[in-house]
Amino acid sequence: MPPINLPYWDIFCTVVDNYGDIGVTWRLARQLVNEYHVPVRLWVDDLVSFQRLCPQLDTHLAEQTIDNVLIGHWNPDFSADVHPGKVVIEAFACELPLSLQHNMQQMNKPPVWLNLEYLTAESWIDGCHGLPSRQDQLTKFFFFPGFSAKSGGLLCENTLFAARQQWQQQNKQRQQFCQRRHLQPPQPNELFISLFSYENNTLPVLLNHWQSHPTPIRCLIPAGRTLNSLQTVLPADVCQAGGRWQQGSLTVEVLPMTDQAGYDQLLWSCDFNIVRGEDSFLRAQWAARPFLWHIYPQEEEAHLEKLQAFLARYTKNMSPVLASAVQQLFLTFNQAHPEEFIPSWAALQPYWSEWQQQAQQWPQTALAGGNLASQLVHFVEKQLECCA
Ligand code: TRH
């Protein structure tokens, strides 16, 4: 008997490295369930990495439900009895279990099968978003998140901007944030900067530079890869969660990783955020504050084209001087040129308030392509109607 369609949307995620793959799929799964009332099963191969951004996850369980999402451990013994739901999403071209593909082939009404691609601001995705590809008797569609009206849009919870605004408008928000996180109380005029990057040799130079800043700087570093680049600056006992170090104008505090909501609050509380990869890159934009993106490095420097494509969009409405200063900052950081990065940081200082205003407006501009979860739901509905 051919397997029947279960009501679920199945999302499959392999953790390649770091936290971006699971960060994006976990966020998408929760949004689909909680805002669009779609039942979701999220299959993840690495529960230990997942637990870093979802502390309540039990890494020993084969199945558990958190925030209304059914989470399944996708291990090598993935059961042949698992039948797909009405939608199957493979995240970032992870290969679906063969048994599931086999079960999909057997169905009278196979699921809508999508590959969720990595986010890029490059315009070539406009021609590829939503394209089908034949896979034996099945069809797989390519879904491209992006910044343009022809793309699949960006991941953004519908209530996020209101929550962020409320947070940022609170009196004493920063004092309370520091208190809750057991951080030193903020000083008057202190510039708060979060730093979540990959290894980068501009970082020691930047931290040295900040020590002679005219006003105090607080640099908040979630424990992780950033610290690998700071071992020549920070004493070993500082390079762990809870570590604190002060020199000149600069205070460094090392934070434990929190869940994604806690990370958002960190971004909302800082004046400037250094972020990386895909998901924190987007969350810094939603924080509506100036930021710097450490893009995930790719072979043959392919990432630099991706970076330029984003910069072209991001700086489009800025004055030419600010646009050029922001571009320089992003490029010199990503090319890891300390001798050029520090002058580009200094060159930006006169334009800081213009950048702050631009950063406030940017989230609405960026969402021109719409909200990814809502686009996905419409795309699926259309496919299901076609095949009904
Ligand atoms: O961890 P990343 O470097 O992930 C990368 C990118 O996604 C890249 O494109 C991909 O190819 C590679 O992984 C495999 O950066 P990203 O995308 O910002 O993911 C980090 C996630 O961690 C994000 O969802 C935010 C979350 N996070 C927390 O939940 N709590 C924290 O304290 C911190 C610092 C991060």
Side-chain angles (χ1 to χ4, degrees):
M1 194 176 72
I4 42 135
N5 275 96
L6 297 167
Y8 290 109
W9 285 36
D10 283 304
I11 303 180
F12 284 83
C13 171
T14 51
V15 176
V16 178
D17 61 0
N18 305 306
Y19 305 106
D21 305 297
I22 182 58
V24 169
T25 49
W26 175 225
R27 198 180 289 293
L28 172 64
R30 277 176 302 161
Q31 194 183 358
L32 286 170
V33 171
N34 296 314
E35 293 186 4
Y36 296 89
H37 312 293
V38 166
V40 174
R41 280 192 303 200
L42 175 61
W43 298 96
V44 183
D45 67 342
D46 174 358
L47 295 183
V48 174
S49 296
F50 190 1
Q51 195 193 40
R52 299 294 304 279
L53 33 107
C54 178
Q56 67 266 50
L57 189 92
D58 185 336
T59 54
H60 302 292
L61 292 180
E63 225 182 79
Q64 58 199 300
T65 300
I66 300 177
D67 280 353
N68 304 316
V69 176
L70 182 58
I71 295 164
H73 187 195
W74 176 10
N75 56 28
D77 321 313
F78 188 84
S79 165
D81 295 336
V82 175
H83 291 145
K86 64 176 184 179
V87 179
V88 171
I89 299 176
E90 55 180 42
F92 315 119
C94 69
E95 206 184 319
L96 295 180
L98 289 176
S99 62
L100 190 93
Q101 291 188 45
H102 173 80
N103 287 343
M104 283 160 66
Q105 303 273 4
Q106 306 304 308
M107 296 170 85
N108 291 335
K109 230 175 105 187
V112 179
W113 180 10
L114 296 144
N115 179 42
L116 177 67
E117 298 285 341
Y118 284 111
L119 167 64
T120 177
E122 292 161 298
S123 53
W124 61 262
I125 63 160
D126 289 353
C128 302
H129 172 60
L131 286 185
S133 148
R134 213 55 203 156
Q135 316 274 323
D136 296 331
Q137 296 105 294
L138 300 171
T139 304
K140 172 158 78 175
F141 295 92
F142 293 91
F143 198 95
F144 281 86
F147 293 82
S148 70
K150 290 185 181 158
S151 74
L154 298 171
L155 257 187
C156 181
E157 299 84 357
N158 288 307
T159 52
L160 185 75
F161 293 171
R164 184 253 296 153
Q165 257 160 17
Q166 204 188 14
W167 177 273
Q168 289 177 339
Q169 280 162 4
Q170 275 171 55
N171 281 334
K172 302 199 174 164
Q173 168 268 311
R174 199 168 270 174
Q175 275 102 315
Q176 287 164 3
F177 173 77
C178 289
Q179 219 169 24
R180 274 199 295 269
R181 297 283 176 103
H182 309 292
L183 305 173
Q184 275 185 353
Q187 303 175 53
N189 295 329
E190 194 174 20
L191 192 70
F192 269 58
I193 298 179
S194 76
L195 172 51
F196 176 57
S197 67
Y198 307 113
E199 293 78 5
N200 186 314
N201 61 14
T202 63
L203 291 175
V205 189
L206 183 60
L207 258 60
N208 279 330
H209 181 73
W210 284 344
Q211 290 168 31
S212 44
H213 197 263
T215 55
I217 290 192
R218 180 87 59 100
C219 180
L220 299 172
I221 308 178
R225 290 179 60 180
T226 306
L227 295 169
N228 297 340
S229 292
L230 293 175
Q231 282 162 4
T232 52
V233 184
L234 301 174
D237 62 330
V238 174
C239 289
Q240 56 188 315
R244 178 176 297 160
W245 180 81
Q246 204 262 319
Q247 198 75 18
S249 304
L250 175 67
T251 305
V252 168
E253 290 189 274
V254 180
L255 311 180
M257 264 185 90
T258 62
D259 62 11
Q260 288 182 317
Y263 182 59
D264 271 341
Q265 291 169 359
L266 170 67
L267 297 172
W268 298 347
S269 303
C270 286
D271 301 292
F272 184 67
N273 294 299
I274 303 179
V275 290
R276 71 188 202 191
E278 173 156 336
D279 192 52
S280 58
F281 161 61
L282 210 48
R283 304 314 279 188
Q285 294 170 65
W286 299 158
R289 298 268 160 93
F291 78 101
L292 169 58
W293 181 25
H294 197 187
I295 190 168
Y296 187 77
Q298 286 174 291
E299 275 171 26
E300 294 175 19
E301 311 231 299
H303 59 286
L304 292 181
E305 251 171 72
K306 204 170 154 178
L307 177 66
Q308 295 277 16
F310 171 71
L311 283 170
R313 289 184 195 275
Y314 183 60
T315 61
K316 194 164 168 239
N317 296 331
M318 294 178 179
S319 66
V321 273
L322 175 63
S324 146
V326 168
Q327 286 168 4
Q328 274 301 102
L329 187 83
F330 277 56
L331 288 173
T332 54
F333 186 75
N334 279 286
Q335 289 164 335
H337 289 161
E339 60 296 341
E340 291 169 34
F341 177 69
I342 297 302
S344 44
W345 169 262
L348 250 168
Q349 302 311 305
Y351 309 108
W352 198 252
S353 67
E354 187 196 334
W355 194 3
Q356 286 173 320
Q357 281 166 27
Q358 292 283 341
Q360 288 281 333
Q361 286 154 21
W362 172 248
Q364 293 305 340
T365 313
L367 272 175
N371 182 304
L372 188 144
S374 129
Q375 292 238 36
L376 205 51
V377 169
H378 286 129
F379 186 89
V380 164
E381 276 169 2
K382 241 166 76 186
Q383 296 311 320
L384 291 171
E385 275 166 26
C386 287
C387 313

